[in-house]
Amino acid sequence: TTSSCDPGGTMSDIDAEDEDAQPTEVESLCMNCYENGKTRLLLTRIPFFREIIISSFTCHHCHWTNTEIQSAGRIQEQGVSYTLRIKSKQDMNREVVKTDSATTRIPELDFEIPAFTQKGSLSTIEGLLDRAVAGLEQDQPIRRATDPDVADKIDQFIQRLKKLKDVEEEFTLIIDDPSGNSFVENPFAPQKDQSLSVTPYKRTKEQNAALGIQPEPDEKPGSDLETMRNEVLVFNTNCPECNAPASTNMKLVQIPHFKEVIIMATNCDSCGHRTNEVKSGGATEEMGTRITLHLTDVSDMSRDLLKSETCSVLIPELEFELGMAALGGKFTTLEGLLKDIKELVVMKNPFICGDSSTTDTSEKLELFGKKIDKIMAGEMDVHIVLDDPAGNSYLQNVYAPDPDPEMKIEQYTRTFEQNEDLGLNDMKTDGYGEVQN
């Protein structure tokens, strides 16, 4: 749709934080019959996806309708790939946010919907299949007249797509989004979904170019590490919440009995948003590290904790697992980590309110939140596990330099899949560092 001008200020301000916000209506041109129709716009916030604009167009002349979503937030630092193994008809009801930059694949049919060929949508797995079928059927009358053989083959393929909705056989759905702004529902939250794999990845130069991201300038060799150790570096950036100009402070810090890390903190004067992120100052360790702490006292909540962006957090007693990159890198306390988990899983979950909510899901998530509160109050006997394949996470040993009787640190050899996620399998290190004459 093409929105008409709004010289009279008829379009009201829209705010994602306003729970009582009503859709804004704008008179728009219908691209089907070229009469005037009506577009309804709603800005809302979805956790794991930030802000989106939902638009719905209706033409009262030809009755043509169109619904789509657009991301109103920033492009994420990493791309994300969702791999879902669909085993039953219940899986067809999973809610999906698919941006226009996402590629959808079904390997069993050798079927792919390339990026930027569809508008963004908020739908279900079944809705994605219906939309794909509708796209293939759109030009079938013309094909039957001009190329009947191709039309017959497409008809056969459409029947195979439609048959997938019956889930007579398991199949795989892959949604790969370089912008990091797509999302597939986990109906078992806060427990891990055994059928869903979420893999963050670093974008290629070609993907950055497709998203309109300018390449970063090459770093100058011989950067002065002493300057980073002794001074707080400040550089300009944009707020990840309101996109207003903000400043980010960066400092290289030595953690006792561990290693150097880079701490970055962003403060926004416009909306008050604050965030901090931690990057490892060293290389990926030769082995992964698994730290298990048995919580025996409420004083454990004050232990310092460094969670790298490659670290997963597990609470076995709650059957809970938080995958890598879900909260990014953090330097906080154990209590701060648990608060972030509760906020991410319970307080900001879109599927416990509105039309998407179910009583069973809401009660399950509320119970999980109460259990997290009990852990922070020292009223539950649980274990916290930090599993970092890169070996760059840390949990304070309050008995240092002596061993902590309640903390177990294990080092393990990474699997091929873990090396693949870290980008180590394709890394060429032969001859690295050699001086060429």
Side-chain angles (χ1 to χ4, degrees):
T1 60
T2 304
S3 297
S4 59
C5 297
D6 187 35
T10 58
M11 185 171 177
S12 61
D13 293 335
I14 48 180
D15 183 4
E17 303 295 341
D18 186 2
E19 296 181 357
D20 298 324
Q22 297 296 318
T24 300
E25 294 188 354
V26 184
E27 191 172 303
S28 307
L29 178 67
C30 175
M31 303 307 295
N32 188 50
C33 69
Y34 299 100
E35 296 287 345
N36 280 343
K38 189 166 292 185
T39 297
R40 306 179 76 203
L41 300 171
L42 179 65
L43 178 66
T44 186
R45 180 185 297 274
I46 295 181
F48 319 105
F49 185 59
R50 299 186 180 273
E51 294 177 349
I52 63 171
I53 299 175
I54 302 176
S55 64
S56 176
F57 175 81
T58 304
C59 177
H60 299 293
H61 300 278
C62 67
H63 305 291
W64 187 68
T65 60
N66 180 42
T67 302
E68 63 183 62
I69 69 164
Q70 294 178 351
S71 174
R74 66 188 182 100
I75 296 174
Q76 304 303 304
E77 292 186 3
Q78 290 184 309
V80 64
S81 177
Y82 290 88
T83 302
L84 175 64
R85 189 66 180 171
I86 297 176
K87 302 177 180 179
S88 67
K89 286 190 176 182
Q90 289 182 334
D91 289 329
M92 302 299 292
N93 296 324
R94 290 177 185 244
E95 299 205 21
V96 176
V97 175
K98 176 186 171 296
T99 69
D100 52 3
S101 62
T103 299
T104 305
R105 300 187 188 94
I106 302 177
E108 288 82 356
L109 298 185
D110 197 20
F111 176 68
E112 177 177 314
I113 302 175
F116 303 108
T117 58
Q118 288 183 343
K119 294 293 186 181
S121 63
L122 174 60
S123 182
T124 62
I125 303 295
E126 184 176 5
L128 287 182
L129 294 179
D130 287 339
R131 193 177 184 189
V133 168
L136 291 173
E137 289 179 336
Q138 185 175 0
D139 296 325
Q140 279 297 83
I142 299 176
R143 292 192 192 100
R144 291 189 184 99
T146 58
D147 197 337
D149 292 339
V150 172
D152 288 341
K153 292 179 180 178
I154 293 178
D155 280 334
Q156 294 173 15
F157 189 81
I158 288 173
Q159 293 306 314
R160 294 177 65 189
L161 269 179
K162 290 181 177 179
K163 194 174 180 181
L164 288 182
K165 294 195 294 183
D166 297 329
V167 198
E168 294 178 357
E169 296 180 357
E170 296 182 6
F171 67 95
T172 305
L173 178 74
I174 301 173
I175 296 180
D176 189 327
D177 187 0
S179 76
N181 280 331
S182 290
F183 175 70
V184 177
E185 177 192 5
N186 172 11
F188 305 102
Q191 277 76 38
K192 182 180 180 180
D193 188 342
Q194 299 296 333
S195 300
L196 180 64
S197 171
V198 185
T199 306
Y201 62 86
K202 186 176 181 179
R203 283 185 292 269
T204 64
K205 292 181 179 179
E206 292 76 13
Q207 289 172 326
N208 279 330
L211 294 172
I213 300 176
Q214 295 293 329
E216 296 182 0
D218 295 333
E219 295 182 1
K220 295 182 179 180
S223 59
D224 189 0
L225 289 179
E226 288 301 321
T227 301
M228 293 184 64
R229 291 190 181 99
N230 299 327
E231 298 180 9
V232 177
L233 302 182
V234 182
F235 54 91
N236 296 326
T237 184
N238 286 348
C239 173
E241 293 295 320
C242 68
N243 208 36
S247 61
T248 296
N249 299 333
M250 183 171 70
K251 181 78 165 64
L252 190 64
V253 177
Q254 174 68 47
I255 297 180
H257 310 290
F258 189 53
K259 61 173 69 174
E260 285 185 328
V261 298
I262 299 172
I263 299 179
M264 295 186 291
T266 302
N267 297 321
C268 178
D269 296 330
S270 298
C271 68
H273 176 73
R274 294 184 177 186
T275 182
N276 69 79
E277 189 174 359
V278 178
K279 301 284 187 182
S280 173
T284 300
E285 298 295 324
E286 292 185 5
M287 303 184 75
T289 302
R290 185 181 296 108
I291 305 172
T292 303
L293 176 66
H294 181 206
L295 301 183
T296 58
D297 190 82
V298 69
S299 60
D300 289 328
M301 293 295 107
S302 61
R303 290 181 185 241
D304 288 334
L305 178 146
L306 170 65
K307 175 196 171 299
S308 79
E309 55 190 7
T310 59
C311 178
S312 299
V313 181
L314 298 90
I315 307 177
E317 289 80 1
L318 302 187
E319 297 181 355
F320 172 77
E321 178 177 350
L322 182 73
M324 65 169 64
L327 285 173
K330 283 188 173 291
F331 184 52
T332 180
T333 62
L334 191 54
E335 182 179 17
L337 177 66
L338 291 172
K339 285 182 177 179
D340 288 339
I341 289 174
K342 179 182 176 182
E343 182 178 12
L344 180 71
V345 176
V346 181
M347 299 173 65
K348 288 187 175 181
N349 196 308
F351 302 113
I352 64 171
C353 58
D355 296 337
S356 299
S357 65
T358 62
T359 303
D360 182 59
T361 302
S362 300
E363 290 178 352
K364 186 164 56 175
L365 291 174
E366 288 176 7
L367 179 61
F368 176 80
K370 291 178 181 178
K371 289 181 178 179
I372 292 292
D373 291 335
K374 286 185 177 181
I375 293 174
M376 290 189 289
E379 298 174 0
M380 281 191 72
D381 185 15
V382 298
H383 295 76
I384 301 291
V385 182
L386 302 180
D387 191 340
D388 188 355
N392 286 327
S393 293
Y394 161 84
L395 184 58
Q396 182 185 11
N397 174 6
V398 294
Y399 297 91
D402 297 325
D404 189 329
E406 303 298 336
M407 186 162 67
K408 179 181 178 182
I409 301 178
E410 305 169 83
Q411 290 189 321
Y412 60 88
T413 302
R414 286 185 290 268
T415 64
F416 178 87
E417 289 75 15
Q418 288 173 324
N419 281 328
E420 187 73 16
D421 290 340
L422 295 174
L424 300 178
N425 290 333
D426 300 323
M427 189 176 292
K428 307 294 184 183
T429 57
D430 294 341
Y432 180 79
E434 293 181 1
V435 178
Q436 306 217 351
N437 295 326

